[in-house]
Amino acid sequence: MLTATKIYLSSPHMGGSEQKFVNEAFATNWIAPLGPNVDGFENDIKHYLGGNDHVAVLSSGTASIHLALQLLNVSHGDEVLCQSFTFSASANPILYQGAKPIFIDSESDTWNMSPELLEIAIKDRIEKHKKPKAIIAVHLYGMPYKANEINAIAKKYEIPVIEDSAEAFGSSYFNQPCGTLSDFGILSFNGNKIITTSGGGALITKSKNLKDKAVFLSTQSRDNAPHYEHSSVGFNYRMSNVLAGIGRGQMEVLDDRVASRRQNFEFYKKNLSQYSQISFLEEPKNFFSNRWLTCIETSSYELREQIRLTLLEDNIESRPLWKPMHMQPIFKDSMHYTDGTSEKLFDKGLCLPSGSNLNENDLKRIVNIISKTPNL
């Protein structure tokens, strides 16, 4: 029977002002889907990202990817190139559109989409007379992908990029915020993310017109009429005013949350690097990761499982790295361009508890338990 206090992988962490914004929503009866907090949250995000992009806050990061595909007119039979090493929410919206995902493996420097394999896939698909309609690249665990290389390839073949920054709010690439590096940016405010609205996301665009189209689609595509008039299919994807109030409070502590997550990484690195069977993903020059989750790569699947189970015995949650999409049963028939990189990472990689509300005693407890792993 477990008696030790549970340590979660990444739990929500409130900052103090969230209740104020929520109370204002209740006091003014702005409980309906829209209201001042929605506009305020969008402006807060826009300002944080530098003020040059347009933001629509939505019900989830998944909804944001779906609307980006809608805005790119991705439809039945189209092909979309997608990073394989990611959470399924990056790929599922492709299926919503009746399109076909084609998965691209990672490279070892960032664990993100391989530019080399991306171009191989594009050339091959064009040779087969099926030019891809879009690219979905992901900043995994907060580490930016190689945006310059991927954007250059995308520009060369005139294929738009959807930048999945669900795990990378607060990260940057050559001093430019993640979420603003490509045609569309995606954020997530799910309960385990670096800041949360309990559930929610955002779509980032370069164009006010595209933002307005996204908002239109997210509110059931209601035409401008005194009655309910609909000329196209819409979705119920807009964020509520109450949840946006939580987001406004969370924005006040985002930089603190990034600093805490990075401190977690440094603590683990300092105290676990003595073990030759454990390695950490370093930041390339000009890459800044929010270190949403601290991840380790072990020397073998057996050691990864020994560490995970040893932590679990002490009521500490850890989790294997994402299982690549091309290995998932739902995508077993999907085409993929892979070289084994993500399969190896899934086999040997582990996410350690990384919440910004962990204290030093929590971290010491985790490291102490890992040090007791047999055969380490």
Side-chain angles (χ1 to χ4, degrees):
M1 181 177 178
L2 297 173
T3 57
T5 302
K6 186 174 180 64
I7 295 179
Y8 292 93
L9 185 70
S10 180
S11 60
H13 188 186
M14 295 294 101
S17 295
E18 295 85 358
Q19 192 70 55
K20 177 190 73 173
F21 290 105
V22 171
N23 287 344
E24 287 176 359
F26 275 79
T28 56
N29 204 33
W30 279 108
I31 308 301
L34 299 180
N37 283 335
V38 172
D39 294 334
F41 190 26
E42 288 179 344
N43 286 331
D44 292 343
I45 296 170
K46 179 176 181 176
H47 176 75
Y48 188 88
L49 295 176
N52 297 318
D53 295 88
H54 300 273
V55 180
V57 291
L58 303 167
S59 58
S60 67
T62 312
S64 304
I65 294 174
H66 187 199
L67 290 188
L69 293 171
Q70 284 268 326
L71 293 170
L72 292 173
N73 297 313
V74 172
S75 60
H76 185 80
D78 288 336
E79 294 182 352
V80 177
L81 301 166
C82 182
Q83 187 163 312
S84 184
F85 195 36
T86 185
F87 180 49
S88 64
S90 300
N92 283 338
I94 301 170
L95 300 185
Y96 302 168
Q97 293 301 99
K100 298 178 181 179
I102 296 179
F103 294 112
I104 310 299
D105 214 338
S106 296
E107 42 76 20
S108 59
D109 293 341
T110 69
W111 296 358
N112 294 317
M113 182 179 281
S114 164
E116 179 182 355
L117 289 173
L118 173 65
E119 185 158 27
I120 288 172
I122 293 172
K123 287 180 176 179
D124 186 53
R125 301 315 298 151
I126 290 175
E127 286 176 4
K128 292 178 171 58
H129 309 289
K130 195 67 178 179
K131 181 180 176 181
K133 200 73 174 284
I135 298 165
I136 300 176
V138 187
H139 303 299
L140 207 66
Y141 301 117
M143 181 65 72
Y145 62 75
K146 295 181 176 178
N148 286 344
E149 290 91 330
I150 287 177
N151 286 344
I153 293 166
K155 184 177 180 180
K156 178 179 178 181
Y157 296 98
E158 298 182 325
I159 303 173
V161 177
I162 298 171
E163 178 193 353
D164 186 345
S165 301
E167 302 172 5
F169 199 21
S171 299
S172 62
Y173 175 82
F174 286 81
N175 296 315
Q176 184 174 345
C178 289
T180 68
L181 302 172
S182 300
D183 299 278
F184 291 95
I186 307 297
L187 298 176
S188 172
F189 309 116
N190 193 28
N192 64 356
K193 295 301 188 291
I194 197 155
I195 65 168
T196 183
T197 57
S198 80
L203 177 64
I204 303 158
T205 80
K206 308 296 183 188
S207 159
K208 175 67 162 55
N209 182 50
L210 287 175
K211 182 230 168 141
D212 291 343
K213 286 184 179 180
V215 170
F216 173 74
L217 289 168
S218 72
T219 50
Q220 300 290 16
S221 296
R222 182 184 174 186
D223 294 335
N224 186 18
H227 54 279
Y228 286 95
E229 183 86 6
H230 304 275
S231 303
S232 58
V233 175
F235 308 91
N236 185 18
Y237 280 170
R238 200 72 161 116
M239 181 180 286
S240 80
N241 192 58
V242 174
L243 296 190
I246 300 174
R248 296 209 71 187
Q250 288 274 278
M251 286 299 297
E252 294 180 359
V253 294
L254 174 54
D255 286 338
D256 293 337
R257 300 295 180 257
V258 173
S260 295
R261 302 264 179 164
R262 288 178 62 85
Q263 287 169 9
N264 291 342
F265 174 85
E266 292 300 331
F267 186 94
Y268 284 127
K269 181 182 174 185
K270 178 181 178 181
N271 288 278
L272 294 175
S273 291
Q274 61 181 297
Y275 301 106
S276 60
Q277 303 100 314
I278 293 175
S279 61
F280 293 83
L281 180 65
E282 300 291 349
E283 289 169 322
K285 185 178 180 181
N286 295 312
F287 287 60
F288 179 85
S289 172
N290 64 15
R291 297 293 186 185
W292 170 58
L293 294 183
T294 293
C295 305
I296 58 173
E297 184 179 358
T298 66
S299 57
S300 67
Y301 167 81
E302 290 74 20
L303 180 59
R304 185 203 80 183
E305 280 299 279
Q306 286 176 345
I307 294 173
R308 185 182 68 82
L309 294 172
T310 301
L311 290 169
L312 188 62
E313 287 174 3
D314 200 65
N315 211 17
I316 299 171
E317 183 183 19
S318 63
R319 191 168 296 169
L321 301 187
W322 298 123
K323 183 176 182 179
M325 291 299 101
H326 72 271
M327 298 175 66
Q328 297 285 354
I330 192 173
F331 296 117
K332 61 183 175 62
D333 297 325
S334 297
M335 190 175 298
H336 56 90
Y337 294 78
T338 54
D339 62 7
T341 298
S342 61
E343 293 182 27
K344 181 190 75 168
L345 290 167
F346 168 61
D347 201 43
K348 300 179 180 180
L350 189 69
C351 304
L352 300 180
S354 302
S356 51
N357 48 8
L358 294 175
N359 58 43
E360 187 171 352
N361 286 334
D362 293 328
L363 293 168
K364 287 180 177 178
R365 175 182 156 198
I366 295 162
V367 167
N368 182 53
I369 294 299
I370 292 174
S371 69
K372 296 178 181 177
T373 303
N375 303 317
L376 183 61

